[in-house]
Amino acid sequence: MAQKKLNDREIEELYEEGIFKITQERNDFLVPQILDFVNAKRWVNLHPEYQRRLVWDKKKKSLFIESLLMNIPIPPIFLYEWDYSRYEVMDGQQRLNAIIEFYSNRFKLTGLEQWQSLNGKTYDDMPQLIKRALDRRRISATVLLAESTKKDGTENDLRKFVFERLNTGGQKLNAQELRNCIYSGKFNNLIVELAGNELFDKLWEIPSYKDHIRGGQISAELAENNLFKRMFDCEIVLRFFSFRIKSHVKGAVKLILDSCMERYQKADDDEIIVLRNLFISRLETSHAIFEENVFRIKDSHGKLRLSQPLFDGVMIAIDRLYEDKDTLIQKKKQIQEALNKSLEDPNVYDLLIGKQNTAPAIIKRNDFITELLKSYL
């Protein structure tokens, strides 16, 4: 539908109402103040899973501390006032985390170029004069104020808009990283948790979270995993919740996933428990039926490879037929053979490879696998 053309007076009235007009203020904070704000939970969303997983290594953190010590100008951080005098960090997590971890003696300085004599030292190890100098450094913050969202329901729109504009340079947030920013809450935390489920990680060849995340530190092996580092593992989990109700699978896939995050953003503890059990039980049943080759499909060279579309189809089919899971598990060999046989048909192979990531293709794919499994009941 074409947007109504507004005259100049109508445009001015929209501006006066505050539509897409952001209220902001600027402040400077001493480095020790930042610790106080975070500890008092006035500044939130600083944990490593927030925003993106391309976390700084010890050298990058150390060089940032060196820049503070040398009083080199630092780009401002951006805060969003989600409640009066309560702030969400929108941009600057890595810088703030480096400060907090260093002041907490969680890493030793390394790779310093101008202050090489400080290499190997924690905050407590540094000479008193150096510590006092660092304590006097300031971080600038641009604060987007709560009154920027005068109308109900505009908060997520504003945050999404600002995040996108803040990330026009450098490495932009992808769709799932952006969802992780915009729709923070219990459901988003569940998505991250399920992406670290031991069976899920084993099946998707992701290094185990429990073995590779220690004390908030992510190992290099996990950090460089292609699914983990840009949150594609979280998107795979989200697809299950987004596609399991057929009536929700309509329009652009990106919007389907966004709508699912918004739908569950206010989920309470009881609903989160139900959703957690739902995902894990369907994952375990999928594995029980298809065993080590679950979610894998042969490519044109005859090599088995993981397939996200096949994951969608199998998980949704198991969800629809879950009451009959025992029968399906008993007939797992026949089901495996039937799926492999069906893939010899080029049309079926093309459907399950999922060259088209559209709502109709997703529905057709999910229905096909559901009917295949149902034929063994």
Side-chain angles (χ1 to χ4, degrees):
M1 182 183 295
Q3 188 175 5
K4 176 187 174 184
K5 186 174 178 63
L6 303 178
N7 60 39
D8 287 352
R9 184 57 206 152
E10 289 171 326
I11 294 173
E12 290 172 347
E13 288 174 353
L14 282 178
Y15 188 80
E16 289 170 351
E17 290 173 7
I19 301 298
F20 296 118
K21 185 171 65 174
I22 296 172
T23 305
Q24 62 172 280
E25 65 182 22
R26 298 176 188 274
N27 291 299
D28 287 343
F29 301 97
L30 290 169
V31 168
Q33 286 182 287
I34 292 171
L35 300 172
D36 295 337
F37 291 145
V38 172
N39 290 334
K41 299 190 184 302
R42 288 183 59 192
W43 291 14
V44 298
N45 284 332
L46 279 168
H47 54 90
E49 297 293 351
Y50 186 75
Q51 190 177 22
R52 65 172 72 190
R53 288 170 167 170
L54 296 177
V55 294
W56 283 0
D57 58 21
K58 290 180 182 178
K59 182 175 181 180
K60 286 184 178 179
K61 294 174 188 176
S62 298
L63 291 175
F64 174 71
I65 297 298
E66 184 181 50
S67 295
L68 284 176
L69 186 59
M70 295 173 64
N71 209 21
I72 293 173
I74 303 297
I77 63 173
F78 286 81
L79 306 175
Y80 174 76
E81 188 184 41
W82 57 276
D83 194 6
Y84 290 104
S85 297
R86 300 290 299 279
Y87 303 93
E88 173 183 296
V89 180
M90 300 186 75
D91 187 66
Q93 284 85 359
Q94 306 287 11
R95 282 164 278 166
L96 296 179
N97 271 317
I99 291 170
I100 293 165
E101 290 179 12
F102 184 64
Y103 269 76
S104 302
N105 299 301
R106 289 167 59 184
F107 70 91
K108 297 179 180 180
L109 296 174
T110 184
L112 299 188
E113 298 169 356
Q114 301 301 318
W115 282 90
Q116 296 181 23
S117 56
L118 294 178
N119 282 325
K121 294 185 181 295
T122 64
Y123 175 78
D124 283 352
D125 294 333
M126 294 200 306
Q128 289 299 319
L129 179 62
I130 305 298
K131 287 198 284 189
R132 291 199 300 271
L134 189 60
D135 291 348
R136 294 178 62 243
R137 298 300 179 242
R138 295 176 180 269
I139 297 289
S140 297
T142 297
V143 184
L144 309 184
L145 300 176
E147 54 259 35
S148 295
T149 52
K150 290 185 177 180
K151 293 188 176 182
D152 292 339
T154 61
E155 179 182 349
N156 280 340
D157 290 340
L158 174 66
R159 293 165 74 218
K160 183 176 180 180
F161 179 80
V162 172
F163 268 116
E164 289 174 337
R165 289 300 173 94
L166 286 176
N167 286 277
T168 53
Q171 188 163 26
K172 294 179 65 176
L173 296 176
N174 64 33
Q176 188 58 36
E177 289 168 331
L178 191 58
R179 292 182 195 107
N180 193 47
C181 298
I182 302 303
Y183 303 108
S184 58
K186 292 178 180 178
F187 180 66
N188 186 65
N189 293 341
L190 175 65
I191 295 294
V192 174
E193 174 197 321
L194 292 174
N197 174 272
E198 193 166 353
L199 177 59
F200 181 86
D201 289 345
K202 178 182 176 182
L203 297 177
W204 282 94
E205 300 177 354
I206 300 169
S208 169
Y209 277 34
K210 69 181 181 65
D211 295 330
H212 292 269
I213 301 179
R214 297 285 178 85
Q217 298 297 312
I218 301 172
S219 73
E221 183 181 355
L222 179 57
E224 289 304 313
N225 179 269
N226 288 331
L227 291 178
F228 176 86
K229 68 181 178 181
R230 300 302 305 272
M231 303 195 83
F232 293 122
D233 55 347
C234 294
E235 184 166 289
I236 292 171
V237 173
L238 176 62
R239 289 172 72 93
F240 167 72
F241 294 110
S242 301
F243 301 156
R244 62 182 298 262
I245 300 176
K246 189 182 291 189
S247 61
H248 290 157
V249 186
K250 55 186 177 182
V253 172
K254 180 179 179 296
L255 296 180
I256 296 171
L257 301 180
D258 289 348
S259 296
C260 182
M261 294 293 295
E262 188 169 3
R263 195 159 52 246
Y264 290 120
Q265 190 174 14
K266 303 299 182 181
D268 59 22
D269 290 337
D270 290 340
E271 190 170 8
I272 292 298
I273 291 171
V274 171
L275 294 172
R276 177 186 293 112
N277 292 337
L278 192 119
F279 181 87
I280 294 173
S281 62
R282 276 52 175 177
L283 182 69
E284 290 175 344
T285 302
S286 298
H287 181 236
I289 294 171
F290 292 97
E291 301 178 302
E292 69 275 6
N293 290 333
V294 65
F295 315 140
R296 293 176 183 272
I297 198 166
K298 286 185 179 179
D299 60 21
S300 56
H301 302 290
K303 183 179 180 181
L304 285 170
R305 65 178 181 84
L306 286 160
S307 169
Q308 179 180 289
L310 186 59
F311 169 88
D312 298 341
V314 169
M315 288 284 285
I316 299 302
I318 297 300
D319 183 54
R320 293 172 179 173
L321 305 173
Y322 189 70
E323 291 184 359
D324 298 303
K325 65 183 179 67
D326 292 337
T327 302
L328 293 173
I329 293 172
Q330 288 173 5
K331 298 183 178 181
K332 62 184 180 180
K333 294 302 181 184
Q334 297 100 303
I335 292 173
Q336 291 175 25
E337 291 172 3
L339 180 59
N340 291 334
K341 181 68 175 176
S342 67
L343 288 170
E344 294 176 5
D345 182 336
N347 293 325
V348 174
Y349 184 85
D350 188 58
L351 174 66
L352 297 186
I353 284 293
K355 290 183 178 178
Q356 287 188 314
N357 192 32
T358 63
I362 289 166
I363 291 173
K364 189 174 180 181
R365 182 184 306 134
N366 296 345
D367 287 347
F368 175 86
I369 298 180
T370 300
E371 291 303 315
L372 186 147
L373 268 61
K374 189 185 292 185
S375 67
Y376 287 90
L377 298 177

